[in-house]
Amino acid sequence: MAIQRLVLDTITDDDFELIAIHSSLASYRLAFMLNKALDLKLSRKKEDINFEYNDLLASFPLFQYDDHFQYCTYSLFGNKFQTKITSQKNSSKGLFNDNEDDAFVTKYLIPELKNVDYFLKIETEASEFSNKPLLANMLTISQIITVYMVEYNELKSKNNLIFE
């Protein structure tokens, strides 16, 4: 009896560029500034990126633009989610009661890069895509502190970048 073997050489990982953005802007303002500087049309998706951490549901904003002429998909998403958690302790509510029981919890989409505020993920089918002019145009926005490329293959939580 013959032995059959299937070779899966044609399956490759998704190729995309990942740009880290440090900025204190709100997500909608950053999307607006990127649209203006890079001639994009990023728009907010109806559903955000949702992750569940123990009993907490973290929601990260997602803006996307499909460029059909250059065969690119641009995705802008936040890296930080912060929420206030109130304790369930039974305490007296006085006139000068300070809420010491309230705590803020911060969760990250990519925990290895906690200092990064936003990511711009660029999925492209073109092999000659160049990110240097894109980075230079992004640095012209005065509210952006810095931008740089990230090697996503080295990240432990690279599966969090798959949200389709």
Side-chain angles (χ1 to χ4, degrees):
M1 174 158 241
I3 298 175
Q4 295 181 352
R5 185 182 328 178
L6 299 175
V7 180
L8 300 174
D9 287 338
T10 58
I11 298 176
T12 59
D13 290 337
D14 289 334
D15 285 334
F16 57 87
E17 303 287 331
L18 190 63
I19 300 174
I21 303 172
H22 293 261
S23 177
S24 61
L25 286 173
S27 59
Y28 66 92
R29 289 285 298 157
L30 180 62
F32 174 76
M33 298 297 239
L34 289 175
N35 285 344
K36 202 169 156 184
L38 304 177
D39 196 28
L40 299 177
K41 296 176 184 165
L42 291 167
S43 62
R44 182 86 183 245
K45 297 295 282 184
K46 290 183 181 179
E47 291 188 19
D48 291 339
I49 303 168
N50 296 319
F51 278 96
E52 192 167 334
Y53 300 97
N54 296 332
D55 293 335
L56 177 69
L57 181 67
S59 179
F60 302 95
L62 174 64
F63 295 82
Q64 255 183 349
Y65 168 57
D66 291 324
D67 189 356
H68 298 292
F69 296 112
Q70 295 181 2
Y71 303 109
C72 292
T73 301
Y74 296 88
S75 301
L76 174 70
F77 50 93
N79 188 38
K80 296 180 183 178
F81 174 79
Q82 189 172 23
T83 187
K84 183 166 105 174
I85 300 207
T86 57
S87 70
Q88 302 297 331
K89 290 183 181 177
N90 212 358
S91 62
S92 64
K93 301 284 184 184
L95 180 62
F96 299 105
N97 185 21
D98 50 347
N99 294 332
E100 294 177 9
D101 298 337
D102 295 342
F104 287 94
V105 175
T106 304
K107 296 296 180 183
Y108 300 94
L109 188 66
I110 308 294
E112 299 93 298
L113 300 171
K114 291 183 179 182
N115 293 330
V116 176
D117 297 310
Y118 299 97
F119 289 102
L120 183 65
K121 178 180 168 184
I122 306 165
E123 300 172 80
T124 181
E125 295 177 12
S127 60
E128 66 274 350
F129 180 78
S130 176
N131 55 23
K132 291 189 189 256
L134 188 72
L135 292 174
N137 287 343
M138 289 173 75
L139 286 173
T140 62
I141 301 171
S142 61
Q143 291 88 352
I144 291 180
I145 299 166
T146 188
V147 296
Y148 53 89
M149 297 300 299
V150 175
E151 283 295 326
Y152 65 91
N153 290 327
E154 298 173 2
L155 297 174
K156 293 178 185 175
S157 57
K158 65 182 173 187
N159 289 337
N160 292 356
L161 298 172
I162 303 169
F163 33 78
E164 290 295 327

